[in-house]
Amino acid sequence: MEPLRVSALRSVDLGVTDVAASAEFYSAIWRLERVASENGSIYLRGTGPAHHILALHEARAPAILKVTFQASDRDTVDALHARASGLGVADLGQPAAVQGPGGGYGFEFGDREGRLLRVVANDETHAESNETADHPTKLSHAVFNSAEVDEATRYYSDVLGFTLSDRTRIMDFIRCNRDHHSIAFAHAAGSTLNHIAYEMPDLESVMRGAGRLRDAGYPIEWGVGRHGPGANVFAYFIGPDDVVIEYTGEVDQVDDDYPTGMPEDWTWPPGRVDRWGVSGPPSKRLHEAQQRVTFAGAK
Ligand SMILES: [Fe+2]
């Protein structure tokens, strides 16, 4: 029997200080596509089937408002809800029709550090495949800073069915499908956003996207390189409102045979920050931005 778990990271709801400016960046430069707007909020899709992968809402200060996970069907939503209820999950809502663009059936709840999460199934999808070189296809992963990484990993495993892929001194990488990780938790003082990664079709697309960002005045803050855990190629940027965003691609596809790595398995020679040994370290600006964006409701 298939384990009970979510099947993907679908979308992030972001509070931004200027919806129009952010939407212009994420469409014209980052190369998502506007798919809906409602009550002043703008929804953007990648080239993959997900109805939207980013929702932009007006806010006084930048914040992550909600993180949505995909479930395969309505029964899975109900089963995940029943399990969450049994585990005494905080702020657990009832499964119901999801309001707003994309719709579907789902429920919301909070994690241990107050991040608002949602599970949804039967949401609208795009049938047409319009994969385009150097356009993001979907969300690849999101990395959350956490003061309690071990507990966070356990919680996402117990409630959402995630599996630990690798644990380093810096992060836990957890998966819910064949992608090596869809979420990671980085050891930090509090529960801020580390970054959001958008999947590109291949390395060439990451490189071309990185060049496009540089042309538009957004320097590469870290990369291009190839990560250790997950082996995905990366280029990091600071987007509007100091939200840290990554173009990534070629993430390892793993299954139940994947040997879970531990910190002693992930040691590199001093000064090396990627597999190739070509990338310098992250910029100071990036380090600072990786702590700046909060989660609405976070403790
Ligand atoms: Fe990443």
Side-chain angles (χ1 to χ4, degrees):
M1 209 178 92
E2 281 290 296
L4 177 58
R5 64 184 185 188
V6 294
S7 51
L9 168 66
R10 191 201 70 175
S11 59
V12 171
D13 284 66
L14 198 55
V16 298
T17 55
D18 184 336
V19 170
S22 278
E24 182 63 16
F25 169 83
Y26 282 107
S27 53
I29 300 171
W30 199 245
R31 293 280 169 93
L32 305 181
E33 189 186 332
R34 291 173 204 234
V35 66
S37 59
E38 190 175 290
N39 302 329
S41 299
I42 294 178
Y43 299 76
L44 300 112
R45 63 171 291 195
T47 58
H51 177 269
H52 64 273
I53 61 175
L54 180 66
L56 301 170
H57 309 279
E58 196 78 32
R60 272 204 300 271
I64 302 295
L65 306 178
K66 195 180 301 179
V67 176
T68 298
F69 295 95
Q70 191 79 51
S72 52
D73 52 35
R74 192 182 170 104
D75 286 349
T76 304
V77 169
D78 287 336
L80 285 164
H81 183 269
R83 184 164 70 184
S85 180
L87 290 166
V89 159
D91 303 323
L92 181 62
Q94 287 301 315
V98 172
Q99 302 303 312
Y105 173 77
F107 67 92
E108 297 184 352
F109 63 104
D111 75 5
R112 288 174 49 94
E113 293 169 281
R115 304 178 191 91
L116 181 59
L117 309 180
R118 177 169 66 182
V119 172
V120 64
N122 292 355
D123 46 331
E124 290 174 40
T125 55
H126 303 286
E128 82 276 21
S129 167
N130 62 346
E131 184 167 304
T132 309
D134 79 22
H135 285 43
T137 55
K138 64 172 188 171
L139 287 187
S140 175
H141 59 268
V143 178
F144 305 155
N145 296 319
S146 171
E148 42 172 52
V149 167
D150 290 13
E151 292 86 346
T153 291
R154 202 171 311 126
Y155 185 92
Y156 280 62
S157 302
D158 292 345
V159 178
L160 294 170
F162 275 86
T163 302
L164 179 65
S165 290
D166 277 293
R167 171 167 287 167
T168 71
R169 283 177 296 107
I170 299 167
M171 285 189 197
D172 276 11
F173 299 82
I174 61 176
R175 68 178 184 271
C176 63
N177 55 37
R178 293 204 66 212
D179 289 347
H180 174 275
H181 57 282
S182 295
I183 295 287
F185 296 106
H187 291 276
S191 53
T192 46
L193 174 73
N194 189 289
H195 67 271
I196 299 169
Y198 295 76
E199 182 154 297
M200 285 293 216
D202 50 27
L203 168 62
E204 174 75 9
S205 299
V206 171
M207 298 299 276
R208 288 190 177 274
R212 181 172 67 235
L213 267 285
R214 288 189 67 194
D215 286 348
Y218 295 84
I220 302 173
E221 305 288 345
W222 187 26
V224 175
R226 189 179 285 280
H227 280 310
N232 43 321
V233 290
F234 63 85
Y236 287 79
F237 305 89
I238 301 175
D241 282 328
D242 283 352
V243 175
V244 176
I245 46 182
E246 175 188 3
Y247 277 146
T248 193
E250 301 186 352
V251 66
D252 271 346
Q253 298 298 291
V254 306
D255 53 28
D256 291 344
D257 297 335
Y258 184 78
T260 307
M262 285 293 137
E264 57 274 20
D265 301 316
W266 293 106
T267 57
W268 277 344
R272 177 166 285 236
V273 293
D274 84 307
R275 282 189 190 228
W276 293 326
V278 299
S279 175
S283 71
K284 187 164 174 286
R285 287 183 68 222
L286 189 76
H287 266 307
E288 290 165 358
Q290 279 177 317
Q291 326 236 349
R292 202 168 286 148
V293 176
T294 56
F295 285 80
K299 295 165 188 166

PDB file of all heavy atoms in Angstrom, residues 164-166 175 180 229-230 252 254-261 266:
ATOM      1  N   LEU A 164      12.958  11.687   5.405  1.00  0.00           N
ATOM      2  CA  LEU A 164      14.265  12.355   5.459  1.00  0.00           C
ATOM      3  C   LEU A 164      15.181  11.779   4.385  1.00  0.00           C
ATOM      4  O   LEU A 164      15.447  10.573   4.361  1.00  0.00           O
ATOM      5  CB  LEU A 164      14.893  12.163   6.843  1.00  0.00           C
ATOM      6  CG  LEU A 164      16.278  12.791   7.051  1.00  0.00           C
ATOM      7  CD1 LEU A 164      16.231  14.316   6.979  1.00  0.00           C
ATOM      8  CD2 LEU A 164      16.865  12.355   8.405  1.00  0.00           C
ATOM      9  N   SER A 165      15.685  12.638   3.487  1.00  0.00           N
ATOM     10  CA  SER A 165      16.624  12.187   2.448  1.00  0.00           C
ATOM     11  C   SER A 165      18.063  12.344   2.914  1.00  0.00           C
ATOM     12  O   SER A 165      18.873  11.435   2.760  1.00  0.00           O
ATOM     13  CB  SER A 165      16.430  12.987   1.156  1.00  0.00           C
ATOM     14  OG  SER A 165      15.210  12.649   0.536  1.00  0.00           O
ATOM     15  N   ASP A 166      18.401  13.514   3.448  1.00  0.00           N
ATOM     16  CA  ASP A 166      19.751  13.764   3.926  1.00  0.00           C
ATOM     17  C   ASP A 166      19.717  14.754   5.086  1.00  0.00           C
ATOM     18  O   ASP A 166      18.893  15.675   5.097  1.00  0.00           O
ATOM     19  CB  ASP A 166      20.635  14.352   2.809  1.00  0.00           C
ATOM     20  CG  ASP A 166      21.195  13.264   1.906  1.00  0.00           C
ATOM     21  OD1 ASP A 166      22.018  12.466   2.407  1.00  0.00           O
ATOM     22  OD2 ASP A 166      20.804  13.193   0.736  1.00  0.00           O
ATOM     23  N   ARG A 175      11.612  14.663   1.590  1.00  0.00           N
ATOM     24  CA  ARG A 175      10.947  14.449   0.301  1.00  0.00           C
ATOM     25  C   ARG A 175       9.536  13.895   0.493  1.00  0.00           C
ATOM     26  O   ARG A 175       9.236  13.243   1.499  1.00  0.00           O
ATOM     27  CB  ARG A 175      11.759  13.489  -0.568  1.00  0.00           C
ATOM     28  CG  ARG A 175      11.813  12.049  -0.068  1.00  0.00           C
ATOM     29  CD  ARG A 175      12.611  11.150  -1.016  1.00  0.00           C
ATOM     30  NE  ARG A 175      12.602   9.750  -0.609  1.00  0.00           N
ATOM     31  CZ  ARG A 175      13.496   9.194   0.226  1.00  0.00           C
ATOM     32  NH1 ARG A 175      14.450   9.919   0.767  1.00  0.00           N
ATOM     33  NH2 ARG A 175      13.389   7.915   0.527  1.00  0.00           N
ATOM     34  N   HIS A 180      14.489  14.581  -4.671  1.00  0.00           N
ATOM     35  CA  HIS A 180      15.286  14.365  -3.449  1.00  0.00           C
ATOM     36  C   HIS A 180      14.776  15.173  -2.257  1.00  0.00           C
ATOM     37  O   HIS A 180      14.801  14.718  -1.124  1.00  0.00           O
ATOM     38  CB  HIS A 180      16.747  14.718  -3.737  1.00  0.00           C
ATOM     39  CG  HIS A 180      17.638  14.681  -2.535  1.00  0.00           C
ATOM     40  ND1 HIS A 180      17.786  15.751  -1.662  1.00  0.00           N
ATOM     41  CD2 HIS A 180      18.422  13.684  -2.038  1.00  0.00           C
ATOM     42  CE1 HIS A 180      18.632  15.418  -0.699  1.00  0.00           C
ATOM     43  NE2 HIS A 180      19.034  14.181  -0.899  1.00  0.00           N
ATOM     44  N   PRO A 229      23.723  17.484  -1.251  1.00  0.00           N
ATOM     45  CA  PRO A 229      22.469  16.725  -1.167  1.00  0.00           C
ATOM     46  C   PRO A 229      21.495  17.140  -2.275  1.00  0.00           C
ATOM     47  O   PRO A 229      21.216  18.332  -2.449  1.00  0.00           O
ATOM     48  CB  PRO A 229      21.922  17.106   0.211  1.00  0.00           C
ATOM     49  CG  PRO A 229      23.141  17.481   1.001  1.00  0.00           C
ATOM     50  CD  PRO A 229      24.070  18.138   0.023  1.00  0.00           C
ATOM     51  N   GLY A 230      21.011  16.171  -3.033  1.00  0.00           N
ATOM     52  CA  GLY A 230      20.091  16.452  -4.130  1.00  0.00           C
ATOM     53  C   GLY A 230      20.779  16.667  -5.460  1.00  0.00           C
ATOM     54  O   GLY A 230      20.147  16.497  -6.505  1.00  0.00           O
ATOM     55  N   ASP A 252      18.277  15.246  -7.960  1.00  0.00           N
ATOM     56  CA  ASP A 252      18.286  13.776  -7.914  1.00  0.00           C
ATOM     57  C   ASP A 252      16.869  13.212  -7.804  1.00  0.00           C
ATOM     58  O   ASP A 252      16.055  13.709  -7.010  1.00  0.00           O
ATOM     59  CB  ASP A 252      19.045  13.288  -6.670  1.00  0.00           C
ATOM     60  CG  ASP A 252      20.534  13.112  -6.935  1.00  0.00           C
ATOM     61  OD1 ASP A 252      20.949  13.109  -8.107  1.00  0.00           O
ATOM     62  OD2 ASP A 252      21.269  12.984  -5.935  1.00  0.00           O
ATOM     63  N   VAL A 254      14.960  10.021  -6.514  1.00  0.00           N
ATOM     64  CA  VAL A 254      15.293   8.945  -5.577  1.00  0.00           C
ATOM     65  C   VAL A 254      14.044   8.112  -5.273  1.00  0.00           C
ATOM     66  O   VAL A 254      12.921   8.506  -5.583  1.00  0.00           O
ATOM     67  CB  VAL A 254      15.890   9.499  -4.252  1.00  0.00           C
ATOM     68  CG1 VAL A 254      17.078  10.400  -4.545  1.00  0.00           C
ATOM     69  CG2 VAL A 254      14.839  10.242  -3.440  1.00  0.00           C
ATOM     70  N   ASP A 255      14.266   6.943  -4.667  1.00  0.00           N
ATOM     71  CA  ASP A 255      13.140   6.114  -4.240  1.00  0.00           C
ATOM     72  C   ASP A 255      13.447   5.561  -2.843  1.00  0.00           C
ATOM     73  O   ASP A 255      14.365   6.034  -2.169  1.00  0.00           O
ATOM     74  CB  ASP A 255      12.842   5.017  -5.256  1.00  0.00           C
ATOM     75  CG  ASP A 255      14.078   4.194  -5.576  1.00  0.00           C
ATOM     76  OD1 ASP A 255      14.964   4.092  -4.698  1.00  0.00           O
ATOM     77  OD2 ASP A 255      14.159   3.663  -6.691  1.00  0.00           O
ATOM     78  N   ASP A 256      12.695   4.552  -2.452  1.00  0.00           N
ATOM     79  CA  ASP A 256      12.829   4.053  -1.078  1.00  0.00           C
ATOM     80  C   ASP A 256      14.201   3.447  -0.794  1.00  0.00           C
ATOM     81  O   ASP A 256      14.570   3.267   0.370  1.00  0.00           O
ATOM     82  CB  ASP A 256      11.745   3.002  -0.790  1.00  0.00           C
ATOM     83  CG  ASP A 256      10.365   3.640  -0.731  1.00  0.00           C
ATOM     84  OD1 ASP A 256      10.298   4.877  -0.604  1.00  0.00           O
ATOM     85  OD2 ASP A 256       9.365   2.904  -0.817  1.00  0.00           O
ATOM     86  N   ASP A 257      14.949   3.116  -1.834  1.00  0.00           N
ATOM     87  CA  ASP A 257      16.292   2.552  -1.628  1.00  0.00           C
ATOM     88  C   ASP A 257      17.332   3.620  -1.298  1.00  0.00           C
ATOM     89  O   ASP A 257      18.476   3.288  -1.013  1.00  0.00           O
ATOM     90  CB  ASP A 257      16.762   1.815  -2.902  1.00  0.00           C
ATOM     91  CG  ASP A 257      15.867   0.634  -3.227  1.00  0.00           C
ATOM     92  OD1 ASP A 257      15.230   0.114  -2.295  1.00  0.00           O
ATOM     93  OD2 ASP A 257      15.794   0.261  -4.423  1.00  0.00           O
ATOM     94  N   TYR A 258      16.946   4.884  -1.380  1.00  0.00           N
ATOM     95  CA  TYR A 258      17.939   5.943  -1.186  1.00  0.00           C
ATOM     96  C   TYR A 258      18.519   5.870   0.226  1.00  0.00           C
ATOM     97  O   TYR A 258      17.777   5.887   1.212  1.00  0.00           O
ATOM     98  CB  TYR A 258      17.301   7.311  -1.417  1.00  0.00           C
ATOM     99  CG  TYR A 258      18.296   8.441  -1.329  1.00  0.00           C
ATOM    100  CD1 TYR A 258      19.163   8.721  -2.379  1.00  0.00           C
ATOM    101  CD2 TYR A 258      18.394   9.222  -0.180  1.00  0.00           C
ATOM    102  CE1 TYR A 258      20.092   9.749  -2.286  1.00  0.00           C
ATOM    103  CE2 TYR A 258      19.316  10.257  -0.082  1.00  0.00           C
ATOM    104  CZ  TYR A 258      20.158  10.512  -1.143  1.00  0.00           C
ATOM    105  OH  TYR A 258      21.081  11.525  -1.046  1.00  0.00           O
ATOM    106  N   PRO A 259      19.845   5.780   0.360  1.00  0.00           N
ATOM    107  CA  PRO A 259      20.448   5.721   1.696  1.00  0.00           C
ATOM    108  C   PRO A 259      20.473   7.105   2.339  1.00  0.00           C
ATOM    109  O   PRO A 259      21.049   8.034   1.785  1.00  0.00           O
ATOM    110  CB  PRO A 259      21.870   5.218   1.415  1.00  0.00           C
ATOM    111  CG  PRO A 259      22.166   5.646   0.011  1.00  0.00           C
ATOM    112  CD  PRO A 259      20.843   5.738  -0.716  1.00  0.00           C
ATOM    113  N   THR A 260      19.790   7.264   3.461  1.00  0.00           N
ATOM    114  CA  THR A 260      19.707   8.570   4.124  1.00  0.00           C
ATOM    115  C   THR A 260      21.086   8.989   4.622  1.00  0.00           C
ATOM    116  O   THR A 260      21.699   8.285   5.421  1.00  0.00           O
ATOM    117  CB  THR A 260      18.732   8.494   5.310  1.00  0.00           C
ATOM    118  OG1 THR A 260      17.493   7.971   4.835  1.00  0.00           O
ATOM    119  CG2 THR A 260      18.509   9.862   5.923  1.00  0.00           C
ATOM    120  N   GLY A 261      21.552  10.128   4.117  1.00  0.00           N
ATOM    121  CA  GLY A 261      22.870  10.616   4.509  1.00  0.00           C
ATOM    122  C   GLY A 261      22.826  11.348   5.839  1.00  0.00           C
ATOM    123  O   GLY A 261      21.815  11.960   6.186  1.00  0.00           O
ATOM    124  N   TRP A 266      28.536  14.186   4.584  1.00  0.00           N
ATOM    125  CA  TRP A 266      28.553  15.403   3.776  1.00  0.00           C
ATOM    126  C   TRP A 266      29.631  16.359   4.268  1.00  0.00           C
ATOM    127  O   TRP A 266      29.337  17.420   4.796  1.00  0.00           O
ATOM    128  CB  TRP A 266      27.179  16.076   3.789  1.00  0.00           C
ATOM    129  CG  TRP A 266      26.138  15.262   3.083  1.00  0.00           C
ATOM    130  CD1 TRP A 266      25.133  14.531   3.656  1.00  0.00           C
ATOM    131  CD2 TRP A 266      26.026  15.050   1.672  1.00  0.00           C
ATOM    132  NE1 TRP A 266      24.410  13.892   2.694  1.00  0.00           N
ATOM    133  CE2 TRP A 266      24.925  14.191   1.462  1.00  0.00           C
ATOM    134  CE3 TRP A 266      26.749  15.512   0.566  1.00  0.00           C
ATOM    135  CZ2 TRP A 266      24.538  13.781   0.182  1.00  0.00           C
ATOM    136  CZ3 TRP A 266      26.353  15.099  -0.696  1.00  0.00           C
ATOM    137  CH2 TRP A 266      25.256  14.249  -0.875  1.00  0.00           C
TER     138      TRP A 266
END
